[in-house]
């Protein structure tokens, strides 16, 4: 993800199912220009992530919020990249969540990366998302699919 932030010039990242905030904290160290929002259902995880962001002085650009992603009354952040790899409790990400993904203000497209099998099936069925790359994921045997939204999204 860090390489994609650099190579594509991304300025905002949202982690849907952020857990204790590892991705946000890593981006805080590696990319001081990036704003990050992490959402998770479990308040204890969010508290731990917020404490770490404060400890490292990232709270002005790295934020964590408790939020049920399936609650359609709560908007999702607008961003350049959505990362949906969180814990298996979020394996029920559904079409309504994907439909609510939107680009950062002033942008026409955004990216989505996920390793969750059900989410990947949904992303593959979404006509306005195009698979752009399979990113190597370290030394493991899997790749992280990266999708790009169409500027002509309905």
């Amino acid at each position: 993800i860090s390489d994609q932030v650099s190579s594509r010039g991304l300025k905002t990242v949202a982690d849907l199912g952020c857990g204790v905030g590892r991705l946000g904290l890593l981006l805080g160290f590696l990319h001081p220009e990036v704003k990050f929002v992490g959402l998770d259902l479990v308040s204890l995880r969010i508290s731990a992530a917020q404490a770490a962001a404060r400890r490292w002085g990232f709270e002005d650009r790295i934020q964590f919020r408790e939020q049920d992603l399936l609650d359609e009354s709560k908007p999702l952040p607008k961003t350049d990249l959505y990362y949906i790899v969180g814990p298996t409790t979020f394996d029920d990400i559904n079409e309504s969540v994907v439909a609510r993904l939107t680009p950062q203000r002033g942008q026409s497209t955004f990216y989505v990366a996920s390793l969750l099998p059900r989410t990947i099936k949904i992303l593959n069925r979404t006509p306005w998302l195009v698979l752009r790359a399979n990113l190597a994921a370290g030394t493991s045997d899997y790749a992280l699919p990266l999708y790009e939204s169409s500027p002509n999204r309905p």
Side-chain angles (χ1 to χ4, degrees):
I1 294 298
S2 177
D3 290 345
Q4 294 304 305
V5 167
S6 297
S7 68
R8 297 180 188 277
L10 305 179
K11 299 295 181 201
T12 59
V13 175
D15 186 352
L16 307 183
C18 68
V20 295
R22 287 181 288 245
L23 176 62
L25 297 169
L26 178 66
L27 292 176
F29 283 108
L30 298 177
H31 299 282
E33 74 284 4
V34 169
K35 297 214 179 276
F36 176 91
V37 175
L39 305 177
D40 201 281
L41 182 62
V42 181
S43 61
L44 190 58
R45 292 177 187 155
I46 292 299
S47 295
Q50 289 169 335
R54 276 191 306 277
R55 183 171 36 255
W56 293 105
F58 297 153
E59 63 268 73
D60 60 326
R61 57 193 172 86
I62 308 293
Q63 299 176 358
F64 298 98
R65 295 194 311 245
E66 183 180 344
Q67 182 171 331
D68 180 352
L69 301 176
L70 302 177
D71 182 349
E72 294 185 32
S73 70
K74 307 264 173 134
L76 297 174
K78 295 180 179 189
T79 189
D80 295 326
L81 172 67
Y82 290 95
Y83 185 66
I84 310 172
V85 184
T88 56
T89 55
F90 287 101
D91 203 27
D92 61 354
I93 294 286
N94 60 29
E95 287 86 351
S96 72
V97 173
V98 172
R100 292 173 25 233
L101 304 179
T102 53
Q104 178 73 323
R105 183 172 288 130
Q107 302 295 321
S108 59
T109 63
F110 60 88
Y111 297 91
V112 182
S114 180
L115 283 175
L116 299 175
R118 182 162 186 259
T119 301
I120 290 170
K121 287 179 186 173
I122 292 168
L123 296 175
N124 283 332
R125 287 193 315 254
T126 304
W128 49 265
L129 285 174
V130 177
L131 180 63
R132 288 293 182 215
N134 276 307
L135 312 174
T139 58
S140 63
D141 294 331
Y142 58 86
L144 179 67
L146 181 72
Y147 297 82
E148 182 177 6
S149 69
S150 166
N152 301 324
R153 175 185 170 182

